[in-house]
Amino acid sequence: MALSDEARARLAPQAAEIIGRYPKPRSALLPLLHLVQSEEGYVSEAGIQFCADAVGITPAQVTGVVTFYTQYKQHP
């Protein structure tokens, strides 16, 4: 399931608000991923692309953060 244009438009203001709370946009990455997950039920490639666009980094960097966070949650 891809993130629809309607979902992107609905999430954009919330994403801007989340990013505004942090001194560095990259710091907002995990809350943004949770926002996308609440919309889709999981984080898809489209959700990763949305987060990358919002923060201004590449999707590969977002995927790296997701992978690290997932592994850390399993083995703190």
Side-chain angles (χ1 to χ4, degrees):
M1 178 177 166
L3 202 59
S4 68
D5 291 338
E6 178 185 310
R8 284 179 170 273
R10 187 173 51 254
L11 293 177
Q14 294 173 14
E17 180 183 332
I18 289 170
I19 291 170
R21 291 185 211 152
Y22 292 87
K24 296 180 181 179
R26 283 182 165 196
S27 302
L29 192 53
L30 288 177
L32 285 174
L33 288 165
H34 287 289
L35 177 67
V36 170
Q37 185 177 12
S38 70
E39 175 72 24
E40 297 186 306
Y42 63 98
V43 179
S44 65
E45 288 183 33
I48 288 173
Q49 183 65 50
F50 175 80
C51 293
D53 293 343
V55 176
I57 59 177
T58 67
Q61 290 172 311
V62 175
T63 302
V65 170
V66 170
T67 302
F68 174 79
Y69 183 69
T70 303
Q71 290 175 352
Y72 178 77
K73 279 181 63 176
Q74 291 175 357
H75 308 285

